[in-house]
Amino acid sequence: MTDAASTTARMQDPSRRARLAEFWYYFSENRGAVIGLWVFIVLVVLALAAPLIAPHAPNAQYRDAILVPPFWETGGRAAYPLGTDAVGRDILSRLLFGARYSLFIGVVVTLLALTTGIVIGTIAGYFRGWVDTAITRLMDIILAFPSLLLALVLVAVLGPGLTNAMIAIALVQQPHYVRLTRAAVMTEKNRDYVTAARVAGAGNLRLMFRTILPNCTAPLIVQAALSFSTAILDAAALGFLGMGAQPPTPEWGTMLAEAREFILRAWWVVTFPGLAILITVLAINLMGDGLRDALDPKLKRS
Amino acid sequence: MAVSLGINLQPPEIEPAMLRFILGRLAVLIPTFIGVSIIAFAFIRILPGDPVMLMSGERVMAPERYEQISRQLGYDRPLPVQYFDYLTDVLSGDFGNSIVTRRPVLDDFLTLFPATLELSLCAMFLAILIGIPAGVFAAIKRGSAFDQTIMGTALVGYSMPIFWWGLLLIILFSGTLGWTPVSGRISLLYFFPPVTGFMLIDSLLSGQAGAFKSALSHLILPSIVLGTIPLAVIARQTRSAMLEVLSEDYVRTARAKGLSPFRVIGIHALRNALIPVITTIGLQVGVMLAGAILTETIFSWPGIGKWMVDSVFKRDYPVIQSGLLIIAGVIMLVNLAVDLLYGLINPRIRH
């Protein structure tokens, strides 16, 4: 036990630190990725601090302040920096609370799709045979539908709402993880170190998840960044179509749906929620590009 | 054509390797289609709400009448029997009838599909027309301010929530500037029978003054919105494919031979760089159909995306079921065509 632990520690410590340093070196080479990382950190801080910094409660309605423009426009008030919506709610406060929803959606969907996808993909790539065929076919079937349409119908089946929207989005994203994991596991499986571990008496579970899987992480991390941003976009799209988070939740897509009828009268109710989605997704995609450059050895040389 | 593109199109006789490739793809396609049909079928059976009750509307229905309609629609039989009947009907071209319009689902689909196709083709045209040159120039000027601007813009486009992008364009072009209409395919002033289903062509055929301009002004904003993400993807993909090709030995050789940069890039490099780009373009078809759901909803565009969303909200079960199946079928066929095209233009995959 102690022997094994010390062995792992000895194996991991210097190399892991070196690898992290190397990773950071390549990641920070990409200026966009660093900017994306900073923006993302700011967004996380704002989301966490929302109850402390938001000037108003997200659902508080001020009857005397309906469709007030942002403070720099004529008629704007300092109390509502980004204006108010059609029922007099402060848009800035709703955006700050909305950041919590979007980031939460991204984390939950990614974790859900990642874990189920990895387990299923590892099983398919490790065991091959009919299990693999069945899994691959099922994933082909899911991928045959346009993802947003499938998510839309799934939410209609499960009932509109944020939880069901997250489940539906995770389900349509999970085939990508299955495919990536399966391909990676298949190439790793016949390497010498796996054979060595097997000869040393490691069981299937240990071989799959302790020996092989840690060597397949690079493409999965990149995919996770990608699906984090897609999850936020898709959840907002479902909210916009009326199938995601339900009013009065301050989710950004739902806010856009509520604002639609006022677009020609009050530009701010439409502009800011969408801008928030765009900034968040852009920051994550910038980081994703940086991750890919830093983790993909083929691109490192150039 | 073959010479000018520089793509080695094989003579009509199909090599055994290619034939095996096609058969292999078909062998995967058929079980996938059956799986898709099972999923589409199963969705409707677990969807909350009862289609028979829905048909009666607000009226109260006698239990005998309920039984009768239920039997008429076949909802009283075991599920496997219902599924088998459905599959048989589908294979003979009967996709069921809409509860709302009472018309065959396939007829509704065929009426609405040209609208989506016209929109998608225009969007793809824009995406290719701008995306490929942008990617090529970004690759040639790698690292320059131009490259960074193009790639930065592409990433913004790629991250764009297109439903918001559509609303912004409406605010600017329809609201503030008053240049384009807000919704629909053509102004109500014009009416002519559909010939091709493509409004641009039909409006020209009708010979009515101003009809074409009206159709075009309705089409332009939705096309931009739908084309944004494919444009960004194509530009990024073209750039990286181009960069890879530009570092190949044969490009260096072509340069060393003293060929003009235009010949080297336009003919030697681009034709090889386009191979992965064509695959990307094909894969964007599914993305487009998903995007059409949002774009058509924003612009009230009478296509299949809006049709599916409306059907989900109206709980029009037969439409949801067969619509899913038809759309998935179309995407599968497009992907198959892309695969075959890829095999045709890239001889390496056949061997």
Side-chain angles (χ1 to χ4, degrees):
Chain A
M1 175 66 204
T2 41
D3 192 37
S6 68
T7 316
T8 0
R10 193 157 14 99
M11 267 167 58
Q12 279 178 354
D13 199 35
S15 78
R16 175 168 285 188
R17 194 170 294 167
R19 268 188 308 176
L20 260 178
E22 192 198 351
F23 166 79
W24 179 250
Y25 174 77
Y26 284 110
F27 185 84
S28 57
E29 286 271 277
N30 188 331
R31 202 151 38 97
V34 177
I35 296 173
L37 180 65
W38 278 112
V39 173
F40 185 73
I41 291 172
V42 169
L43 282 168
V44 172
V45 171
L46 286 179
L48 290 176
L52 302 174
I53 54 175
H56 305 273
N59 291 330
Q61 302 182 3
Y62 299 95
R63 293 287 169 196
D64 60 330
I66 284 172
L67 289 178
V68 171
F71 72 89
W72 61 86
E73 295 261 306
T74 45
R77 302 187 208 162
Y80 312 106
L82 297 182
T84 59
D85 66 8
V87 289
R89 292 175 296 199
D90 178 49
I91 289 180
L92 177 65
S93 307
R94 289 178 69 72
L95 288 181
L96 287 170
F97 279 91
R100 306 184 129 202
Y101 283 95
S102 282
L103 296 175
F104 177 71
I105 291 165
V107 170
V108 171
V109 168
T110 307
L111 282 182
L112 212 61
L114 186 78
T115 43
T116 53
I118 283 179
V119 171
I120 298 175
T122 310
I123 291 172
Y126 185 81
F127 288 113
R128 308 300 310 272
W130 67 267
V131 184
D132 181 31
T133 315
I135 289 173
T136 315
R137 284 288 169 281
L138 190 62
M139 296 308 135
D140 281 349
I141 292 167
I142 297 177
L143 288 172
F145 295 101
S147 57
L148 187 63
L149 179 61
L150 189 60
L152 182 71
V153 177
L154 267 171
V155 177
V157 170
L158 300 168
L162 193 57
T163 315
N164 290 339
M166 290 194 292
I167 295 172
I169 296 167
L171 201 86
V172 300
Q173 287 196 350
Q174 170 253 9
H176 299 288
Y177 292 101
V178 174
R179 285 191 159 184
L180 278 177
T181 317
R182 174 179 173 269
V185 167
M186 272 161 46
T187 49
E188 291 295 318
K189 194 187 151 190
N190 297 320
R191 295 275 172 86
D192 287 344
Y193 73 89
V194 180
T195 318
R198 179 175 297 137
V199 172
N204 277 337
L205 274 178
R206 191 183 171 83
L207 280 176
M208 278 194 284
F209 295 105
R210 293 285 309 198
T211 315
I212 298 179
L213 196 60
N215 293 299
C216 306
T217 44
L220 291 172
I221 293 173
V222 176
Q223 176 65 32
L226 203 69
S227 82
F228 198 101
S229 59
T230 319
I232 292 176
L233 272 182
D234 282 0
L238 287 178
F240 180 72
L241 291 172
M243 278 290 179
Q246 297 298 305
T249 313
E251 197 270 327
W252 294 337
T254 312
M255 285 173 73
L256 274 176
E258 291 178 279
R260 250 187 91 182
E261 49 184 308
F262 304 102
I263 56 169
L264 295 180
R265 279 204 284 147
W267 58 269
W268 57 93
V269 289
V270 176
T271 308
F272 296 125
L275 201 58
I277 302 174
L278 176 63
I279 290 172
T280 312
V281 173
L282 186 60
I284 298 166
N285 282 343
L286 279 169
M287 286 196 316
D289 274 7
L291 282 176
R292 196 200 50 213
D293 292 354
L295 293 170
D296 186 341
K298 202 177 142 202
L299 290 168
K300 266 184 198 170
R301 286 176 284 110
S302 51
Chain B
M1 187 68 182
V3 177
S4 70
L5 274 177
I7 293 165
N8 185 19
L9 285 175
Q10 291 295 317
E13 92 258 17
I14 300 174
E15 300 167 37
M18 189 66 194
L19 191 68
R20 215 176 309 128
F21 178 68
I22 296 175
L23 287 179
R25 293 287 302 139
L26 281 177
V28 176
L29 203 67
I30 292 166
T32 309
F33 183 77
I34 292 176
V36 164
S37 71
I38 293 177
I39 293 206
F41 175 84
F43 268 146
I44 307 315
R45 300 309 181 280
I46 45 178
L47 210 60
D50 184 333
V52 180
M53 293 300 273
L54 199 79
M55 283 175 76
S56 74
E58 299 291 304
R59 284 165 292 153
V60 181
M61 197 187 276
E64 304 84 58
R65 178 88 181 112
Y66 181 92
E67 290 273 304
Q68 189 198 340
I69 297 180
S70 180
R71 205 170 323 121
Q72 211 176 335
L73 292 171
Y75 288 130
D76 59 336
R77 287 166 308 152
L79 282 181
V81 178
Q82 283 189 43
Y83 170 71
F84 191 73
D85 281 358
Y86 176 64
L87 195 62
T88 326
D89 285 348
V90 162
L91 292 178
S92 59
D94 176 10
F95 286 83
N97 290 322
S98 158
I99 294 176
V100 176
T101 65
R102 312 246 166 189
R103 278 162 34 98
V105 175
L106 190 61
D107 287 7
D108 278 349
F109 175 83
L110 291 175
T111 314
L112 297 170
F113 189 57
T116 301
L117 195 61
E118 183 177 39
L119 175 59
S120 307
L121 287 176
C122 278
M124 192 52 96
F125 176 73
L126 278 179
I128 293 173
L129 195 71
I130 305 172
I132 291 186
V136 169
F137 284 117
I140 297 170
K141 304 270 175 208
R142 181 181 192 188
S144 67
F146 179 79
D147 177 26
Q148 286 175 359
T149 314
I150 295 275
M151 283 306 111
T153 316
L155 197 66
V156 172
Y158 181 68
S159 311
M160 188 64 85
I162 61 167
F163 42 99
W164 174 67
W165 180 222
L167 295 178
L168 275 192
L169 291 178
I170 290 178
I171 292 180
L172 181 61
F173 289 104
S174 309
T176 313
L177 296 171
W179 289 355
T180 56
V182 176
S183 64
R185 289 182 80 189
I186 195 160
S187 161
L188 293 171
L189 295 172
Y190 305 100
F191 180 78
F192 39 83
V195 184
T196 57
F198 287 170
M199 206 48 99
L200 285 181
I201 299 174
D202 286 356
S203 62
L204 277 179
L205 290 177
S206 76
Q208 295 177 37
F212 179 76
K213 201 171 155 247
S214 172
L216 193 65
S217 68
H218 280 80
L219 184 60
I220 187 80
L221 285 192
S223 300
I224 293 174
V225 169
L226 187 56
T228 299
I229 290 179
L231 166 59
V233 174
I234 289 172
R236 279 163 65 100
Q237 174 73 46
T238 306
R239 177 178 178 272
S240 67
M242 211 47 198
L243 282 180
E244 202 155 299
V245 168
L246 285 176
S247 64
E248 297 269 350
D249 288 341
Y250 69 87
V251 172
R252 206 179 45 194
T253 310
R255 282 209 174 109
K257 274 200 302 188
L259 294 183
S260 72
F262 181 77
R263 269 190 80 85
V264 173
I265 289 158
I267 298 180
H268 285 75
L270 187 60
R271 73 172 196 216
N272 282 302
L274 279 183
I275 291 175
V277 174
I278 289 173
T279 316
T280 309
I281 292 172
L283 292 177
Q284 290 302 305
V285 172
V287 177
M288 282 239 175
L289 281 171
I293 294 171
L294 295 165
T295 312
E296 291 180 359
T297 304
I298 298 164
F299 291 96
S300 303
W301 190 264
I304 54 165
K306 187 168 182 303
W307 177 57
M308 286 306 286
V309 174
D310 290 346
S311 304
V312 165
F313 278 99
K314 288 176 185 156
R315 305 217 167 278
D316 195 342
Y317 302 86
V319 174
I320 302 173
Q321 171 174 322
S322 295
L324 272 176
L325 183 60
I326 298 172
I327 292 171
V330 169
I331 293 180
M332 283 162 65
L333 287 180
V334 172
N335 287 348
L336 177 70
V338 172
D339 271 1
L340 297 184
L341 190 68
Y342 192 73
L344 212 60
I345 58 177
N346 186 4
R348 265 174 295 188
I349 202 156
R350 274 174 285 165
H351 302 303

